Amino acid sequence: MRSLHLLAIVLAAGFACSAASAADVDGKAQPGVRDVFNQVQQNAWYLPTTDHVAKLFVTEIGQGSPVVFLHGGPGRDFHYIIDALRPQLERHAFVLYDQRGSVLSPVPAGTEGKLTMRQMVDDLEALRVALGRDRLVLFGHSFGSLLAMAYYRAHPSHVERLVLAGSLPPVMDKAMSDAYDKALDQRETAMMSREDAIARALAEAGLPSDKGRDTPRQARMRLRIRYNAPLDLVHVERWRQLTSGGIYYNHAAGAAIAASMPAWDVRPAIAAHPVPITVIQGDSDYLDPSARSWSALAKAGKIRLHVIRDAGHCAWIDQPRAFAEALRDGLDGH
């Protein structure tokens, strides 16, 4: 169906979010978490997949009750979320892992095209077993929200709660195809057409007026300003806080996984096996502005919805305080 095809293209392009800063939402360094990237290295281990095809890179940061983070992409890595987690690190230990086929969890060369969503779900179940947890708290961003929903549908008894940020809709079927395709394309075009904001950011960066004179470093900066920031952020001027593509993303893996996604509907799982679910969405998130597709479930009291005003797909960069408060509520509330 065309909507799933277009969505696969969007997902396979890779999401380009990083974190607001190495400080908390007040701009002050938090005690006890300054060494967070050392924690990433010190706590790292590999989890063999059950089919023995790959090894998943796994690590942990923070302290307290565990939360498994599911990164976007597919085919990206987990590092872009780390600083956004800093306000929560005194209360939660975040288990971070690169999904199969991603940067730190590669598959044998030439086999990326065989990757599927089903494998992503199976790998998450293997991680649950390895962690010795009966039930998981899952925090998914972007494609990670879809993986969280897929795991919940497959293993509802092993889910304790879900927090979905920059989320995809709760249902995607043939009846939605054309309308979703058209709306998604229009939203992307609108975000990418903010020429005044882009021009100001390019000028502030001091890039040559003729892009043909760019150094390799300047060319990378221009790409982030012209294409990454306008799609993911309301505040384009914060482009420096983004990471994107390149070494952070395996395009072949992302394309294969995105293409394997079937239609989905998480509503039966919510009805049969209710768990606390929180959706955190920017009001300008191009995937689903203000999480409108979740509004009926929110009105019915099935999920909790936080709409972050003046924010896009990477809401923690646009509005760090509001995002931190919403994430804390999702992890600790109701």
Side-chain angles (χ1 to χ4, degrees):
M1 70 187 69
R2 185 170 175 268
S3 68
L4 293 182
H5 175 68
L6 178 57
L7 182 57
I9 293 173
V10 172
L11 290 171
F15 294 105
C17 305
S18 185
S21 70
D24 66 12
V25 293
D26 292 317
K28 300 176 181 177
Q30 291 200 97
V33 298
R34 293 185 182 183
D35 66 340
V36 65
F37 282 96
N38 287 335
Q39 291 182 48
V40 169
Q41 298 300 319
Q42 293 163 358
N43 297 331
W45 53 285
Y46 274 108
L47 172 65
T49 57
T50 55
D51 59 6
H52 307 293
V53 170
K55 295 180 180 179
L56 306 181
F57 180 93
V58 186
T59 190
E60 182 179 310
I61 59 174
Q63 58 190 13
S65 58
V67 178
V68 176
F69 174 68
L70 308 176
H71 63 72
R76 281 207 48 129
D77 72 339
F78 63 75
H79 287 86
Y80 71 88
I81 199 68
I82 288 178
D83 282 343
L85 301 179
R86 287 179 184 270
Q88 322 297 333
L89 294 184
E90 298 297 328
R91 298 176 61 87
H92 295 282
F94 289 88
V95 178
L96 309 171
Y97 78 102
D98 264 20
Q99 297 154 21
R100 185 191 302 222
S102 295
V103 177
L104 297 178
S105 302
V107 294
T111 67
E112 292 93 343
K114 298 179 180 179
L115 292 169
T116 67
M117 188 67 165
R118 179 71 249 179
Q119 291 174 320
M120 303 299 108
V121 172
D122 290 345
D123 289 347
L124 182 51
E125 171 63 2
L127 178 60
R128 180 195 67 80
V129 173
L131 294 172
R133 306 293 301 184
D134 183 54
R135 297 194 299 165
L136 296 176
V137 176
L138 299 177
F139 168 33
H141 171 251
S142 198
F143 167 76
S145 71
L146 184 58
L147 177 54
M149 287 187 274
Y151 182 83
Y152 178 39
R153 291 162 53 211
H155 303 283
S157 63
H158 291 312
V159 174
E160 181 176 338
R161 67 172 58 220
L162 299 176
V163 180
L164 311 176
S167 180
L168 288 146
V171 56
M172 179 66 68
D173 58 29
K174 291 181 180 180
M176 298 174 59
S177 299
D178 290 340
Y180 185 85
D181 278 356
K182 183 177 180 180
L184 179 61
D185 184 63
Q186 290 174 342
R187 292 192 296 265
E188 289 181 325
T189 299
M191 293 293 285
M192 299 291 290
S193 299
R194 293 175 291 153
E195 297 299 336
D196 288 346
I198 294 168
R200 286 194 298 270
L202 288 169
E204 183 274 336
L207 297 180
S209 57
D210 176 8
K211 65 180 181 180
R213 297 170 53 200
D214 284 349
T215 66
R217 177 175 178 272
Q218 289 173 328
R220 186 64 177 166
M221 293 168 64
R222 190 181 298 275
L223 176 67
R224 292 165 66 189
I225 294 170
R226 185 63 188 85
Y227 297 104
N228 301 140
L231 185 61
D232 287 327
L233 300 177
V234 168
H235 296 281
V236 177
E237 71 276 10
R238 299 180 187 176
W239 64 271
R240 295 180 188 274
Q241 298 170 29
L242 289 170
T243 61
S244 58
I247 64 172
Y248 303 105
Y249 178 56
N250 183 331
H251 289 264
I257 297 165
S260 77
M261 294 187 303
W264 67 86
D265 188 348
V266 76
R267 295 172 299 181
I270 293 174
H273 304 277
V275 299
I277 299 175
T278 299
V279 176
I280 306 170
Q281 204 87 348
D283 60 357
S284 296
D285 191 314
Y286 64 94
L287 284 185
D288 186 12
S290 299
R292 294 179 192 133
S293 66
W294 290 89
S295 60
L297 289 169
K299 290 178 181 177
K302 302 297 184 181
I303 66 141
R304 181 172 292 190
L305 177 59
H306 288 271
V307 175
I308 309 296
R309 305 299 177 188
D310 196 32
H313 192 57
C314 302
W316 60 88
I317 297 178
D318 281 319
Q319 301 295 340
R321 179 180 293 279
F323 184 87
E325 292 173 352
L327 180 56
R328 183 174 296 115
D329 177 71
L331 295 175
D332 299 333
H334 69 127

mmCIF file with all atom_site columns, all heavy atoms in Angstrom, residues 20-21 23-26 84 87-88 238 241 308 314-326:
data_model
loop_
_atom_site.group_PDB
_atom_site.id
_atom_site.type_symbol
_atom_site.label_atom_id
_atom_site.label_alt_id
_atom_site.label_comp_id
_atom_site.label_asym_id
_atom_site.label_entity_id
_atom_site.label_seq_id
_atom_site.pdbx_PDB_ins_code
_atom_site.Cartn_x
_atom_site.Cartn_y
_atom_site.Cartn_z
_atom_site.occupancy
_atom_site.B_iso_or_equiv
_atom_site.pdbx_formal_charge
_atom_site.auth_seq_id
_atom_site.auth_comp_id
_atom_site.auth_asym_id
_atom_site.auth_atom_id
_atom_site.pdbx_PDB_model_num
ATOM 1   N N   . ALA A 1 20  ? 19.760 17.932 23.743 1.00 0.00 ? 20  ALA A N   1
ATOM 2   C CA  . ALA A 1 20  ? 19.818 19.368 23.929 1.00 0.00 ? 20  ALA A CA  1
ATOM 3   C C   . ALA A 1 20  ? 21.178 19.851 24.385 1.00 0.00 ? 20  ALA A C   1
ATOM 4   O O   . ALA A 1 20  ? 21.721 20.805 23.867 1.00 0.00 ? 20  ALA A O   1
ATOM 5   C CB  . ALA A 1 20  ? 18.748 19.805 24.925 1.00 0.00 ? 20  ALA A CB  1
ATOM 6   N N   . SER A 1 21  ? 21.750 19.231 25.374 1.00 0.00 ? 21  SER A N   1
ATOM 7   C CA  . SER A 1 21  ? 23.039 19.658 25.891 1.00 0.00 ? 21  SER A CA  1
ATOM 8   C C   . SER A 1 21  ? 23.518 18.649 26.902 1.00 0.00 ? 21  SER A C   1
ATOM 9   O O   . SER A 1 21  ? 22.826 17.700 27.222 1.00 0.00 ? 21  SER A O   1
ATOM 10  C CB  . SER A 1 21  ? 22.929 21.036 26.557 1.00 0.00 ? 21  SER A CB  1
ATOM 11  O OG  . SER A 1 21  ? 22.193 20.937 27.760 1.00 0.00 ? 21  SER A OG  1
ATOM 12  N N   . ALA A 1 23  ? 23.806 19.281 29.894 1.00 0.00 ? 23  ALA A N   1
ATOM 13  C CA  . ALA A 1 23  ? 23.351 19.805 31.163 1.00 0.00 ? 23  ALA A CA  1
ATOM 14  C C   . ALA A 1 23  ? 21.895 19.463 31.360 1.00 0.00 ? 23  ALA A C   1
ATOM 15  O O   . ALA A 1 23  ? 21.233 18.932 30.483 1.00 0.00 ? 23  ALA A O   1
ATOM 16  C CB  . ALA A 1 23  ? 23.543 21.325 31.184 1.00 0.00 ? 23  ALA A CB  1
ATOM 17  N N   . ASP A 1 24  ? 21.365 19.765 32.546 1.00 0.00 ? 24  ASP A N   1
ATOM 18  C CA  . ASP A 1 24  ? 19.952 19.511 32.784 1.00 0.00 ? 24  ASP A CA  1
ATOM 19  C C   . ASP A 1 24  ? 19.127 20.620 32.157 1.00 0.00 ? 24  ASP A C   1
ATOM 20  O O   . ASP A 1 24  ? 19.633 21.502 31.478 1.00 0.00 ? 24  ASP A O   1
ATOM 21  C CB  . ASP A 1 24  ? 19.668 19.343 34.285 1.00 0.00 ? 24  ASP A CB  1
ATOM 22  C CG  . ASP A 1 24  ? 19.899 20.627 35.086 1.00 0.00 ? 24  ASP A CG  1
ATOM 23  O OD1 . ASP A 1 24  ? 20.056 21.704 34.453 1.00 0.00 ? 24  ASP A OD1 1
ATOM 24  O OD2 . ASP A 1 24  ? 19.924 20.537 36.323 1.00 0.00 ? 24  ASP A OD2 1
ATOM 25  N N   . VAL A 1 25  ? 17.817 20.603 32.390 1.00 0.00 ? 25  VAL A N   1
ATOM 26  C CA  . VAL A 1 25  ? 16.944 21.544 31.707 1.00 0.00 ? 25  VAL A CA  1
ATOM 27  C C   . VAL A 1 25  ? 17.155 22.972 32.170 1.00 0.00 ? 25  VAL A C   1
ATOM 28  O O   . VAL A 1 25  ? 16.681 23.906 31.532 1.00 0.00 ? 25  VAL A O   1
ATOM 29  C CB  . VAL A 1 25  ? 15.463 21.141 31.910 1.00 0.00 ? 25  VAL A CB  1
ATOM 30  C CG1 . VAL A 1 25  ? 15.190 19.838 31.207 1.00 0.00 ? 25  VAL A CG1 1
ATOM 31  C CG2 . VAL A 1 25  ? 15.117 21.044 33.400 1.00 0.00 ? 25  VAL A CG2 1
ATOM 32  N N   . ASP A 1 26  ? 17.856 23.202 33.267 1.00 0.00 ? 26  ASP A N   1
ATOM 33  C CA  . ASP A 1 26  ? 18.168 24.545 33.719 1.00 0.00 ? 26  ASP A CA  1
ATOM 34  C C   . ASP A 1 26  ? 19.532 25.011 33.231 1.00 0.00 ? 26  ASP A C   1
ATOM 35  O O   . ASP A 1 26  ? 19.985 26.096 33.560 1.00 0.00 ? 26  ASP A O   1
ATOM 36  C CB  . ASP A 1 26  ? 18.141 24.611 35.248 1.00 0.00 ? 26  ASP A CB  1
ATOM 37  C CG  . ASP A 1 26  ? 16.732 24.417 35.792 1.00 0.00 ? 26  ASP A CG  1
ATOM 38  O OD1 . ASP A 1 26  ? 15.809 25.011 35.215 1.00 0.00 ? 26  ASP A OD1 1
ATOM 39  O OD2 . ASP A 1 26  ? 16.565 23.664 36.765 1.00 0.00 ? 26  ASP A OD2 1
ATOM 40  N N   . ALA A 1 84  ? 19.473 13.778 26.323 1.00 0.00 ? 84  ALA A N   1
ATOM 41  C CA  . ALA A 1 84  ? 18.071 13.992 26.659 1.00 0.00 ? 84  ALA A CA  1
ATOM 42  C C   . ALA A 1 84  ? 17.646 13.173 27.872 1.00 0.00 ? 84  ALA A C   1
ATOM 43  O O   . ALA A 1 84  ? 16.648 13.483 28.526 1.00 0.00 ? 84  ALA A O   1
ATOM 44  C CB  . ALA A 1 84  ? 17.183 13.655 25.471 1.00 0.00 ? 84  ALA A CB  1
ATOM 45  N N   . PRO A 1 87  ? 18.289 14.322 32.680 1.00 0.00 ? 87  PRO A N   1
ATOM 46  C CA  . PRO A 1 87  ? 17.449 14.693 33.819 1.00 0.00 ? 87  PRO A CA  1
ATOM 47  C C   . PRO A 1 87  ? 16.814 13.503 34.536 1.00 0.00 ? 87  PRO A C   1
ATOM 48  O O   . PRO A 1 87  ? 16.288 13.656 35.637 1.00 0.00 ? 87  PRO A O   1
ATOM 49  C CB  . PRO A 1 87  ? 16.370 15.581 33.176 1.00 0.00 ? 87  PRO A CB  1
ATOM 50  C CG  . PRO A 1 87  ? 17.000 16.111 31.938 1.00 0.00 ? 87  PRO A CG  1
ATOM 51  C CD  . PRO A 1 87  ? 17.854 14.982 31.432 1.00 0.00 ? 87  PRO A CD  1
ATOM 52  N N   . GLN A 1 88  ? 16.858 12.321 33.915 1.00 0.00 ? 88  GLN A N   1
ATOM 53  C CA  . GLN A 1 88  ? 16.211 11.140 34.501 1.00 0.00 ? 88  GLN A CA  1
ATOM 54  C C   . GLN A 1 88  ? 17.205 10.156 35.119 1.00 0.00 ? 88  GLN A C   1
ATOM 55  O O   . GLN A 1 88  ? 16.793 9.132  35.683 1.00 0.00 ? 88  GLN A O   1
ATOM 56  C CB  . GLN A 1 88  ? 15.409 10.394 33.421 1.00 0.00 ? 88  GLN A CB  1
ATOM 57  C CG  . GLN A 1 88  ? 14.693 11.256 32.412 1.00 0.00 ? 88  GLN A CG  1
ATOM 58  C CD  . GLN A 1 88  ? 13.626 12.157 32.998 1.00 0.00 ? 88  GLN A CD  1
ATOM 59  O OE1 . GLN A 1 88  ? 13.053 11.839 34.043 1.00 0.00 ? 88  GLN A OE1 1
ATOM 60  N NE2 . GLN A 1 88  ? 13.347 13.278 32.344 1.00 0.00 ? 88  GLN A NE2 1
ATOM 61  N N   . ARG A 1 238 ? 18.909 25.671 16.211 1.00 0.00 ? 238 ARG A N   1
ATOM 62  C CA  . ARG A 1 238 ? 19.527 24.718 17.133 1.00 0.00 ? 238 ARG A CA  1
ATOM 63  C C   . ARG A 1 238 ? 20.091 23.503 16.387 1.00 0.00 ? 238 ARG A C   1
ATOM 64  O O   . ARG A 1 238 ? 20.265 22.434 16.966 1.00 0.00 ? 238 ARG A O   1
ATOM 65  C CB  . ARG A 1 238 ? 18.506 24.290 18.192 1.00 0.00 ? 238 ARG A CB  1
ATOM 66  C CG  . ARG A 1 238 ? 18.007 25.469 19.025 1.00 0.00 ? 238 ARG A CG  1
ATOM 67  C CD  . ARG A 1 238 ? 16.994 25.069 20.076 1.00 0.00 ? 238 ARG A CD  1
ATOM 68  N NE  . ARG A 1 238 ? 16.440 26.262 20.701 1.00 0.00 ? 238 ARG A NE  1
ATOM 69  C CZ  . ARG A 1 238 ? 15.459 26.258 21.616 1.00 0.00 ? 238 ARG A CZ  1
ATOM 70  N NH1 . ARG A 1 238 ? 14.929 25.114 22.004 1.00 0.00 ? 238 ARG A NH1 1
ATOM 71  N NH2 . ARG A 1 238 ? 15.008 27.392 22.127 1.00 0.00 ? 238 ARG A NH2 1
ATOM 72  N N   . GLN A 1 241 ? 22.735 20.869 17.612 1.00 0.00 ? 241 GLN A N   1
ATOM 73  C CA  . GLN A 1 241 ? 22.414 19.835 18.586 1.00 0.00 ? 241 GLN A CA  1
ATOM 74  C C   . GLN A 1 241 ? 21.905 18.548 17.936 1.00 0.00 ? 241 GLN A C   1
ATOM 75  O O   . GLN A 1 241 ? 21.513 17.611 18.629 1.00 0.00 ? 241 GLN A O   1
ATOM 76  C CB  . GLN A 1 241 ? 21.379 20.379 19.584 1.00 0.00 ? 241 GLN A CB  1
ATOM 77  C CG  . GLN A 1 241 ? 21.898 21.569 20.372 1.00 0.00 ? 241 GLN A CG  1
ATOM 78  C CD  . GLN A 1 241 ? 20.828 22.258 21.187 1.00 0.00 ? 241 GLN A CD  1
ATOM 79  O OE1 . GLN A 1 241 ? 19.874 21.626 21.613 1.00 0.00 ? 241 GLN A OE1 1
ATOM 80  N NE2 . GLN A 1 241 ? 20.990 23.556 21.419 1.00 0.00 ? 241 GLN A NE2 1
ATOM 81  N N   . ILE A 1 308 ? 3.836  18.724 23.163 1.00 0.00 ? 308 ILE A N   1
ATOM 82  C CA  . ILE A 1 308 ? 4.851  19.731 23.433 1.00 0.00 ? 308 ILE A CA  1
ATOM 83  C C   . ILE A 1 308 ? 4.681  20.869 22.430 1.00 0.00 ? 308 ILE A C   1
ATOM 84  O O   . ILE A 1 308 ? 4.819  20.666 21.223 1.00 0.00 ? 308 ILE A O   1
ATOM 85  C CB  . ILE A 1 308 ? 6.273  19.151 23.317 1.00 0.00 ? 308 ILE A CB  1
ATOM 86  C CG1 . ILE A 1 308 ? 6.406  17.871 24.163 1.00 0.00 ? 308 ILE A CG1 1
ATOM 87  C CG2 . ILE A 1 308 ? 7.302  20.194 23.730 1.00 0.00 ? 308 ILE A CG2 1
ATOM 88  C CD1 . ILE A 1 308 ? 6.251  18.071 25.639 1.00 0.00 ? 308 ILE A CD1 1
ATOM 89  N N   . CYS A 1 314 ? 12.073 16.179 17.236 1.00 0.00 ? 314 CYS A N   1
ATOM 90  C CA  . CYS A 1 314 ? 13.046 16.075 18.330 1.00 0.00 ? 314 CYS A CA  1
ATOM 91  C C   . CYS A 1 314 ? 12.668 17.085 19.397 1.00 0.00 ? 314 CYS A C   1
ATOM 92  O O   . CYS A 1 314 ? 13.346 18.104 19.591 1.00 0.00 ? 314 CYS A O   1
ATOM 93  C CB  . CYS A 1 314 ? 14.458 16.301 17.824 1.00 0.00 ? 314 CYS A CB  1
ATOM 94  S SG  . CYS A 1 314 ? 14.928 15.153 16.519 1.00 0.00 ? 314 CYS A SG  1
ATOM 95  N N   . ALA A 1 315 ? 11.589 16.802 20.109 1.00 0.00 ? 315 ALA A N   1
ATOM 96  C CA  . ALA A 1 315 ? 11.001 17.792 21.015 1.00 0.00 ? 315 ALA A CA  1
ATOM 97  C C   . ALA A 1 315 ? 11.921 18.178 22.154 1.00 0.00 ? 315 ALA A C   1
ATOM 98  O O   . ALA A 1 315 ? 11.819 19.279 22.694 1.00 0.00 ? 315 ALA A O   1
ATOM 99  C CB  . ALA A 1 315 ? 9.672  17.257 21.569 1.00 0.00 ? 315 ALA A CB  1
ATOM 100 N N   . TRP A 1 316 ? 12.856 17.292 22.539 1.00 0.00 ? 316 TRP A N   1
ATOM 101 C CA  . TRP A 1 316 ? 13.743 17.620 23.651 1.00 0.00 ? 316 TRP A CA  1
ATOM 102 C C   . TRP A 1 316 ? 14.757 18.687 23.282 1.00 0.00 ? 316 TRP A C   1
ATOM 103 O O   . TRP A 1 316 ? 15.353 19.308 24.163 1.00 0.00 ? 316 TRP A O   1
ATOM 104 C CB  . TRP A 1 316 ? 14.454 16.368 24.166 1.00 0.00 ? 316 TRP A CB  1
ATOM 105 C CG  . TRP A 1 316 ? 15.297 15.671 23.159 1.00 0.00 ? 316 TRP A CG  1
ATOM 106 C CD1 . TRP A 1 316 ? 16.602 15.913 22.868 1.00 0.00 ? 316 TRP A CD1 1
ATOM 107 C CD2 . TRP A 1 316 ? 14.889 14.613 22.297 1.00 0.00 ? 316 TRP A CD2 1
ATOM 108 N NE1 . TRP A 1 316 ? 17.035 15.075 21.874 1.00 0.00 ? 316 TRP A NE1 1
ATOM 109 C CE2 . TRP A 1 316 ? 16.002 14.259 21.500 1.00 0.00 ? 316 TRP A CE2 1
ATOM 110 C CE3 . TRP A 1 316 ? 13.683 13.921 22.119 1.00 0.00 ? 316 TRP A CE3 1
ATOM 111 C CZ2 . TRP A 1 316 ? 15.943 13.248 20.540 1.00 0.00 ? 316 TRP A CZ2 1
ATOM 112 C CZ3 . TRP A 1 316 ? 13.626 12.917 21.164 1.00 0.00 ? 316 TRP A CZ3 1
ATOM 113 C CH2 . TRP A 1 316 ? 14.749 12.591 20.389 1.00 0.00 ? 316 TRP A CH2 1
ATOM 114 N N   . ILE A 1 317 ? 14.977 18.922 21.986 1.00 0.00 ? 317 ILE A N   1
ATOM 115 C CA  . ILE A 1 317 ? 15.849 20.002 21.553 1.00 0.00 ? 317 ILE A CA  1
ATOM 116 C C   . ILE A 1 317 ? 15.061 21.307 21.469 1.00 0.00 ? 317 ILE A C   1
ATOM 117 O O   . ILE A 1 317 ? 15.516 22.355 21.919 1.00 0.00 ? 317 ILE A O   1
ATOM 118 C CB  . ILE A 1 317 ? 16.506 19.668 20.207 1.00 0.00 ? 317 ILE A CB  1
ATOM 119 C CG1 . ILE A 1 317 ? 17.402 18.439 20.346 1.00 0.00 ? 317 ILE A CG1 1
ATOM 120 C CG2 . ILE A 1 317 ? 17.300 20.858 19.674 1.00 0.00 ? 317 ILE A CG2 1
ATOM 121 C CD1 . ILE A 1 317 ? 18.056 18.003 19.049 1.00 0.00 ? 317 ILE A CD1 1
ATOM 122 N N   . ASP A 1 318 ? 13.864 21.239 20.922 1.00 0.00 ? 318 ASP A N   1
ATOM 123 C CA  . ASP A 1 318 ? 13.026 22.426 20.830 1.00 0.00 ? 318 ASP A CA  1
ATOM 124 C C   . ASP A 1 318 ? 12.582 22.923 22.203 1.00 0.00 ? 318 ASP A C   1
ATOM 125 O O   . ASP A 1 318 ? 12.604 24.122 22.474 1.00 0.00 ? 318 ASP A O   1
ATOM 126 C CB  . ASP A 1 318 ? 11.784 22.132 19.972 1.00 0.00 ? 318 ASP A CB  1
ATOM 127 C CG  . ASP A 1 318 ? 12.072 22.168 18.479 1.00 0.00 ? 318 ASP A CG  1
ATOM 128 O OD1 . ASP A 1 318 ? 12.823 23.060 18.046 1.00 0.00 ? 318 ASP A OD1 1
ATOM 129 O OD2 . ASP A 1 318 ? 11.540 21.312 17.757 1.00 0.00 ? 318 ASP A OD2 1
ATOM 130 N N   . GLN A 1 319 ? 12.166 22.013 23.071 1.00 0.00 ? 319 GLN A N   1
ATOM 131 C CA  . GLN A 1 319 ? 11.614 22.374 24.381 1.00 0.00 ? 319 GLN A CA  1
ATOM 132 C C   . GLN A 1 319 ? 12.132 21.401 25.440 1.00 0.00 ? 319 GLN A C   1
ATOM 133 O O   . GLN A 1 319 ? 11.422 20.490 25.885 1.00 0.00 ? 319 GLN A O   1
ATOM 134 C CB  . GLN A 1 319 ? 10.086 22.345 24.344 1.00 0.00 ? 319 GLN A CB  1
ATOM 135 C CG  . GLN A 1 319 ? 9.450  23.270 23.327 1.00 0.00 ? 319 GLN A CG  1
ATOM 136 C CD  . GLN A 1 319 ? 9.704  24.739 23.629 1.00 0.00 ? 319 GLN A CD  1
ATOM 137 O OE1 . GLN A 1 319 ? 10.031 25.114 24.752 1.00 0.00 ? 319 GLN A OE1 1
ATOM 138 N NE2 . GLN A 1 319 ? 9.541  25.589 22.622 1.00 0.00 ? 319 GLN A NE2 1
ATOM 139 N N   . PRO A 1 320 ? 13.397 21.554 25.881 1.00 0.00 ? 320 PRO A N   1
ATOM 140 C CA  . PRO A 1 320 ? 14.003 20.574 26.787 1.00 0.00 ? 320 PRO A CA  1
ATOM 141 C C   . PRO A 1 320 ? 13.277 20.420 28.118 1.00 0.00 ? 320 PRO A C   1
ATOM 142 O O   . PRO A 1 320 ? 13.135 19.304 28.627 1.00 0.00 ? 320 PRO A O   1
ATOM 143 C CB  . PRO A 1 320 ? 15.440 21.082 26.976 1.00 0.00 ? 320 PRO A CB  1
ATOM 144 C CG  . PRO A 1 320 ? 15.414 22.503 26.530 1.00 0.00 ? 320 PRO A CG  1
ATOM 145 C CD  . PRO A 1 320 ? 14.367 22.599 25.479 1.00 0.00 ? 320 PRO A CD  1
ATOM 146 N N   . ARG A 1 321 ? 12.825 21.523 28.717 1.00 0.00 ? 321 ARG A N   1
ATOM 147 C CA  . ARG A 1 321 ? 12.160 21.411 30.013 1.00 0.00 ? 321 ARG A CA  1
ATOM 148 C C   . ARG A 1 321 ? 10.835 20.662 29.894 1.00 0.00 ? 321 ARG A C   1
ATOM 149 O O   . ARG A 1 321 ? 10.552 19.751 30.678 1.00 0.00 ? 321 ARG A O   1
ATOM 150 C CB  . ARG A 1 321 ? 11.916 22.793 30.613 1.00 0.00 ? 321 ARG A CB  1
ATOM 151 C CG  . ARG A 1 321 ? 11.187 22.730 31.967 1.00 0.00 ? 321 ARG A CG  1
ATOM 152 C CD  . ARG A 1 321 ? 10.948 24.121 32.531 1.00 0.00 ? 321 ARG A CD  1
ATOM 153 N NE  . ARG A 1 321 ? 12.203 24.762 32.883 1.00 0.00 ? 321 ARG A NE  1
ATOM 154 C CZ  . ARG A 1 321 ? 12.849 24.531 34.017 1.00 0.00 ? 321 ARG A CZ  1
ATOM 155 N NH1 . ARG A 1 321 ? 12.374 23.661 34.892 1.00 0.00 ? 321 ARG A NH1 1
ATOM 156 N NH2 . ARG A 1 321 ? 13.975 25.159 34.265 1.00 0.00 ? 321 ARG A NH2 1
ATOM 157 N N   . ALA A 1 322 ? 10.029 21.039 28.924 1.00 0.00 ? 322 ALA A N   1
ATOM 158 C CA  . ALA A 1 322 ? 8.731  20.391 28.754 1.00 0.00 ? 322 ALA A CA  1
ATOM 159 C C   . ALA A 1 322 ? 8.902  18.910 28.445 1.00 0.00 ? 322 ALA A C   1
ATOM 160 O O   . ALA A 1 322 ? 8.149  18.066 28.947 1.00 0.00 ? 322 ALA A O   1
ATOM 161 C CB  . ALA A 1 322 ? 7.933  21.082 27.642 1.00 0.00 ? 322 ALA A CB  1
ATOM 162 N N   . PHE A 1 323 ? 9.895  18.594 27.620 1.00 0.00 ? 323 PHE A N   1
ATOM 163 C CA  . PHE A 1 323 ? 10.116 17.184 27.298 1.00 0.00 ? 323 PHE A CA  1
ATOM 164 C C   . PHE A 1 323 ? 10.557 16.407 28.527 1.00 0.00 ? 323 PHE A C   1
ATOM 165 O O   . PHE A 1 323 ? 10.082 15.288 28.774 1.00 0.00 ? 323 PHE A O   1
ATOM 166 C CB  . PHE A 1 323 ? 11.156 17.037 26.185 1.00 0.00 ? 323 PHE A CB  1
ATOM 167 C CG  . PHE A 1 323 ? 11.351 15.612 25.750 1.00 0.00 ? 323 PHE A CG  1
ATOM 168 C CD1 . PHE A 1 323 ? 10.541 15.064 24.772 1.00 0.00 ? 323 PHE A CD1 1
ATOM 169 C CD2 . PHE A 1 323 ? 12.331 14.803 26.329 1.00 0.00 ? 323 PHE A CD2 1
ATOM 170 C CE1 . PHE A 1 323 ? 10.697 13.749 24.372 1.00 0.00 ? 323 PHE A CE1 1
ATOM 171 C CE2 . PHE A 1 323 ? 12.496 13.488 25.938 1.00 0.00 ? 323 PHE A CE2 1
ATOM 172 C CZ  . PHE A 1 323 ? 11.680 12.954 24.956 1.00 0.00 ? 323 PHE A CZ  1
ATOM 173 N N   . ALA A 1 324 ? 11.473 16.974 29.310 1.00 0.00 ? 324 ALA A N   1
ATOM 174 C CA  . ALA A 1 324 ? 11.958 16.287 30.508 1.00 0.00 ? 324 ALA A CA  1
ATOM 175 C C   . ALA A 1 324 ? 10.815 16.014 31.481 1.00 0.00 ? 324 ALA A C   1
ATOM 176 O O   . ALA A 1 324 ? 10.727 14.929 32.064 1.00 0.00 ? 324 ALA A O   1
ATOM 177 C CB  . ALA A 1 324 ? 13.048 17.113 31.187 1.00 0.00 ? 324 ALA A CB  1
ATOM 178 N N   . GLU A 1 325 ? 9.932  16.977 31.643 1.00 0.00 ? 325 GLU A N   1
ATOM 179 C CA  . GLU A 1 325 ? 8.791  16.796 32.543 1.00 0.00 ? 325 GLU A CA  1
ATOM 180 C C   . GLU A 1 325 ? 7.839  15.735 32.019 1.00 0.00 ? 325 GLU A C   1
ATOM 181 O O   . GLU A 1 325 ? 7.324  14.896 32.787 1.00 0.00 ? 325 GLU A O   1
ATOM 182 C CB  . GLU A 1 325 ? 8.067  18.126 32.740 1.00 0.00 ? 325 GLU A CB  1
ATOM 183 C CG  . GLU A 1 325 ? 8.889  19.158 33.512 1.00 0.00 ? 325 GLU A CG  1
ATOM 184 C CD  . GLU A 1 325 ? 8.246  20.517 33.563 1.00 0.00 ? 325 GLU A CD  1
ATOM 185 O OE1 . GLU A 1 325 ? 7.214  20.708 32.856 1.00 0.00 ? 325 GLU A OE1 1
ATOM 186 O OE2 . GLU A 1 325 ? 8.749  21.400 34.283 1.00 0.00 ? 325 GLU A OE2 1
ATOM 187 N N   . ALA A 1 326 ? 7.593  15.735 30.710 1.00 0.00 ? 326 ALA A N   1
ATOM 188 C CA  . ALA A 1 326 ? 6.696  14.728 30.130 1.00 0.00 ? 326 ALA A CA  1
ATOM 189 C C   . ALA A 1 326 ? 7.299  13.342 30.226 1.00 0.00 ? 326 ALA A C   1
ATOM 190 O O   . ALA A 1 326 ? 6.590  12.366 30.540 1.00 0.00 ? 326 ALA A O   1
ATOM 191 C CB  . ALA A 1 326 ? 6.414  15.081 28.664 1.00 0.00 ? 326 ALA A CB  1
#
